[in-house]
Amino acid sequence: PSLRKRAKVRQLLSTNEDWNSLYLDKARVFMQKQTNSLLIPTTPILTASPCPGVYEIRTLRHSPQNTAPYSIPERGITLVGAWKTILDENGTLDIQLWHYSNIDTIYSDRPSNLEVSSKLLIPAKFSLLQ
């Protein structure tokens, strides 16, 4: 759906008593923070897993004048895809998805001039990324 249609649906749901009392009231206790961003890809995206392993979602926040660097390529590490925000709450956000053939090869050095967060993902047995 278009962004306009999504905004209209959100507005209608915000005044719907059933939606608010039966769903949102129960969900709010689990939500600490929500961030919305509109992303565009900045690299071609791999459609198949390079090999079994683990994944890391790396989020880098920086000023619009700077660009987020990619890690130094090492053996067993593949950039699966990268995205950049075109609409974000503050600053610029880059999201990178990395594949590691072995959990022990995770690149631990992070740029010091950026706010970086990272999440480790281990594909489920039924995942196409397995």
Side-chain angles (χ1 to χ4, degrees):
S2 71
L3 291 176
R4 280 191 201 134
K5 185 173 182 176
R6 289 181 193 183
K8 184 176 181 178
V9 169
R10 279 194 305 271
Q11 192 275 328
L12 290 171
L13 284 174
S14 70
T15 60
N16 182 306
E17 288 299 320
D18 286 341
W19 174 258
N20 283 294
S21 63
L22 298 174
Y23 177 72
L24 282 184
D25 285 347
K26 293 176 184 173
R28 277 190 189 105
V29 297
F30 298 106
M31 189 183 321
Q32 296 175 2
K33 179 181 177 183
Q34 178 177 333
T35 303
N36 297 311
S37 301
L38 186 57
L39 304 169
I40 57 171
T42 57
T43 64
I45 299 167
L46 295 180
T47 56
S49 173
C51 63
V54 296
Y55 293 83
E56 174 192 22
I57 292 181
R58 192 178 301 172
T59 304
L60 305 100
R61 185 170 298 282
H62 54 88
S63 68
Q65 294 80 20
N66 297 329
T67 57
Y70 298 118
S71 292
I72 300 167
E74 294 181 16
R75 188 170 178 218
I77 300 175
T78 305
L79 180 65
V80 177
W83 300 263
K84 181 177 184 159
T85 54
I86 56 175
L87 290 175
D88 191 51
E89 294 170 355
N90 46 16
T92 300
L93 188 69
D94 285 10
I95 297 175
Q96 303 168 353
L97 179 62
W98 294 89
H99 174 268
Y100 299 87
S101 58
N102 183 321
I103 198 166
D104 296 328
T105 61
I106 289 183
Y107 186 69
S108 62
D109 189 24
R110 300 288 185 256
S112 60
N113 61 337
L114 302 172
E115 178 186 326
V116 180
S117 66
S118 183
K119 292 183 174 113
L120 185 63
L121 307 171
I122 301 172
K125 291 186 189 228
F126 57 82
S127 172
L128 296 176
L129 296 176
Q130 188 66 285

